[in-house]
Amino acid sequence: MLIADLRTAVRDHLDGDTTAWLDRALAEAATTPHWEADFAAAARHCRRGQHPELADATRILLLHAARPDMPTLTRLYSHGTAAERRAVLLALAHIEDVGPDALPLVEDALRTNDTRLVAAAVGPYAARHLDAHGWRQAVLKCLFTGVPLDAVAEWPARARGDAELARMLTDYARERTAAGRDVPADLTRVLAHTTPEEP
Amino acid sequence: MRIFDPHIHMTSRTTDDYEAMYAAGVRALVEPSFWLGQPRTSPASFYDYFDALLGWEPFRAAQHGIAHHCTLALNPKEANDPRCLPVLDELPRYLVKDGVVAVGEIGYDAMTPAEDTALAAQLQLAADHGLPALVHTPHRDKAAGLARTLDVVHESALPTDRVLLDHLNETTVRAATDSGCWLGFSIYPDTKMDPDRMVRVLREYATEKHRILVNSAADWGRSDPLKTRHVGEAMLAAGFTDDDVDQVLWRNPAAFYGLSGRLDLDVEDTTPGATHKGNSILRGAPVTTATTEGR
């Protein structure tokens, strides 16, 4: 989703006072360090309960406007609440020139058991930068924790022809069957994609 | 019966407790930061703990349908260890977080000069950050401890109507009431208060019922996360109305922590994929179905 569209979608949900807060915060994000306080306080201005994703979207807009450098991004993540960390991960797809330097943040999130962080970690940035082993482990973790396959960006392209991923999935399916448990439907979906295409 | 436990240390409780609490009517709680059951030796240990109170523990609570907020502070016991004092300098970056609804628990443990300093400094931090304060009253030498606590509160920038005095009992409730602070009572199986004594206090202080809070303060010790429910039942058995119970067990804690402007009692749906499916804003779907789609 384009940032301009995201901004329109967020504004559609906000009342007048909150829109004024957002406009002020975004303007400051481009020019002053004060925006970090707004980044922390986003949910109490854009009530997260009514629209859980509103605070995420607002924080992504702030990150996009502020264009923090890598040390700042790392600090925002490591000093962040789970919600702030999720926003940093989701914003990686919208921040140019990060390169592979943000990978430690993705890897940190993939070590957690907070499925909201795991789902945010497997977006387009992970599809582009995670190495083969890390990406396979991420897919398997999603299947383990119930994060839907559709949260994994570009999975059909990355899974295609991946024989090692096929082996890991087959072993996991066998383990589930041996325990008398269902094999997740998402496992069958991704496994089907690992078969090399016919020449 | 809807219950808001305004003081419970969930980090030391199991998922069975979360299930039992939900079944008993608990829909919201506040987890004050405290020690780990044994003394910490470095500030970094606090930061991982604070991060958990703003990350993993709210996620765990939401999985069980319970809204989780926290209060953060350097606790009185560990304020006496100079190795832990740098926490005071890092607290400001935590006190701006959305999930933080008060500074706490602060107060006295052994009533030392180091505790004086930490209490005064953290009351000032609460005033600076627009937060109320949860003040623990000491278990030993309680009446004298309360008097000394009130001296420091009165000298601070924080008005008494933004201070919750906790762990009160029959010997301290009068002085606490006269102070103008909010009144907190912890209900324990053996120590502190029990449900029947709590009901007697509620009867005697009926005119103060708009500022009385009851909590389980459950932790690793012999404690019970359902003690709030037991108080509600004891109140009904003693002739209090459903509205009285709702006021003490829900509206009062919501009002006190609501002073922060950060209390959000809606529980986020943590079913794996719920956020993803319901992420209509992030995915550009029509906005009208956003809140129901993933639920």
Side-chain angles (χ1 to χ4, degrees):
Chain A
M1 188 177 192
L2 294 172
I3 283 292
D5 296 336
L6 188 61
R7 185 166 177 163
T8 304
V10 169
R11 291 176 62 101
D12 284 347
H13 284 74
L14 303 179
D15 60 22
D17 287 350
T18 317
T19 304
W21 175 86
L22 178 70
D23 289 344
R24 196 265 309 147
L26 288 175
E28 284 192 6
T31 52
T32 76
H34 180 71
W35 73 277
E36 289 191 23
D38 292 324
F39 181 75
R44 55 187 182 265
H45 292 283
C46 310
R47 306 304 294 181
R48 67 176 190 261
Q50 292 160 17
H51 272 294
E53 69 272 41
L54 255 185
D56 285 352
T58 300
R59 288 188 169 114
I60 292 168
L61 291 174
L62 286 168
L63 287 166
H64 181 263
R67 302 190 176 282
D69 59 16
M70 201 54 231
T72 306
L73 212 52
T74 300
R75 177 171 49 76
L76 288 170
Y77 180 89
S78 61
H79 285 187
T81 62
E84 292 168 47
R85 292 179 185 197
R86 191 167 66 221
V88 169
L89 295 166
L90 292 170
L92 291 177
H94 299 287
I95 301 176
E96 293 160 24
D97 304 329
V98 176
D101 292 350
L103 262 179
L105 310 186
V106 170
E107 290 162 349
D108 179 88
L110 288 173
R111 280 192 294 271
T112 72
N113 271 10
D114 183 334
T115 50
R116 298 170 303 180
L117 281 172
V118 173
V122 290
Y125 182 86
R128 201 172 315 136
H129 293 290
L130 268 183
D131 67 15
H133 180 72
W135 190 79
R136 292 177 191 129
Q137 284 288 338
V139 170
L140 210 54
K141 178 136 187 177
C142 287
L143 295 173
F144 258 85
T145 55
V147 171
L149 185 60
D150 290 334
V152 182
E154 299 165 41
W155 68 264
R158 283 211 64 163
R160 190 163 300 129
D162 189 337
E164 175 64 3
L165 179 64
R167 182 200 62 74
M168 291 164 74
L169 294 172
T170 307
D171 283 356
Y172 178 41
R174 189 178 301 129
E175 194 180 330
R176 297 279 307 179
T177 307
R181 297 185 174 122
D182 292 338
V183 174
D186 276 348
L187 188 154
T188 311
R189 280 174 75 204
V190 69
L191 186 58
H193 271 74
T194 58
T195 312
E197 286 177 89
E198 297 295 324
Chain B
M1 191 185 295
R2 58 176 181 170
I3 298 170
F4 183 150
D5 192 334
H7 183 152
I8 182 165
H9 302 289
M10 292 312 298
T11 196
S12 50
R13 309 299 308 193
T14 65
T15 49
D16 286 356
D17 287 331
Y18 269 123
E19 287 178 12
M21 288 163 67
Y22 185 87
V26 177
R27 295 292 180 274
L29 61 84
V30 165
E31 175 157 11
S33 61
F34 75 149
W35 71 331
L36 290 176
Q38 68 174 29
R40 293 181 179 88
T41 59
S42 77
S45 169
F46 282 86
Y47 308 146
D48 285 337
Y49 173 63
F50 293 164
D51 289 342
L53 295 188
L54 292 165
W56 175 240
E57 206 55 52
F59 176 71
R60 228 161 67 95
Q63 284 179 308
H64 298 278
I66 297 174
H68 180 291
H69 294 81
C70 67
T71 78
L72 299 182
L74 172 63
N75 63 78
K77 212 186 280 274
E78 290 173 316
N80 291 300
D81 186 336
R83 292 174 299 180
C84 297
L85 289 182
V87 171
L88 291 174
D89 299 324
E90 286 291 304
L91 271 173
R93 75 171 168 91
Y94 281 104
L95 296 182
V96 301
K97 302 299 189 188
D98 279 325
V100 180
V101 291
V103 170
E105 353 182 3
I106 52 177
Y108 285 112
D109 177 51
M111 288 193 273
T112 64
E115 293 172 25
D116 286 328
T117 305
L119 174 56
Q122 294 185 99
L123 287 168
Q124 184 64 47
L125 281 176
D128 293 344
H129 288 83
L131 291 170
L134 170 61
V135 179
H136 157 110
T137 57
H139 302 305
R140 305 177 302 276
D141 203 7
K142 191 176 274 291
L146 175 65
R148 187 152 157 185
T149 300
L150 289 174
D151 286 345
V152 181
V153 167
H154 289 311
E155 285 169 15
S156 80
L158 203 63
T160 51
D161 61 5
R162 294 178 72 83
V163 173
L164 168 57
L165 298 170
D166 211 348
H167 314 312
L168 298 174
N169 61 23
E170 293 87 346
T171 66
T172 51
V173 58
R174 170 51 60 199
T177 302
D178 293 344
S179 75
C181 295
W182 295 71
L183 312 169
F185 296 86
S186 302
I187 317 299
Y188 260 37
D190 300 323
T191 60
K192 301 190 171 87
M193 294 290 285
D194 67 37
D196 292 332
R197 286 165 53 210
M198 189 64 233
V199 165
R200 284 198 291 276
V201 168
L202 280 163
R203 250 202 214 112
E204 190 176 344
Y205 290 83
T207 56
E208 310 304 328
K209 115 189 136 181
H210 59 284
R211 56 178 170 130
I212 290 178
L213 287 74
V214 171
N215 63 73
S216 73
D219 56 15
W220 304 276
R222 187 162 151 68
S223 51
D224 179 355
L226 304 186
K227 275 285 176 270
T228 48
R229 169 83 195 196
H230 298 165
V231 168
E233 288 166 355
M235 286 176 72
L236 292 175
F240 283 93
T241 65
D242 287 332
D243 189 69
D244 291 332
V245 172
D246 191 67
Q247 170 153 39
V248 171
L249 293 187
W250 184 270
R251 301 200 302 273
N252 287 352
F256 174 72
Y257 289 117
L259 294 171
S260 68
R262 306 182 197 177
L263 197 66
D264 185 353
L265 297 174
D266 292 313
V267 182
E268 203 173 316
D269 185 353
T270 57
T271 313
T275 308
H276 182 71
K277 284 183 206 146
N279 239 340
S280 55
I281 294 175
L282 295 174
R283 291 162 69 82
V287 297
T288 46
T289 57
T291 51
T292 52
E293 210 172 50
R295 305 244 160 177

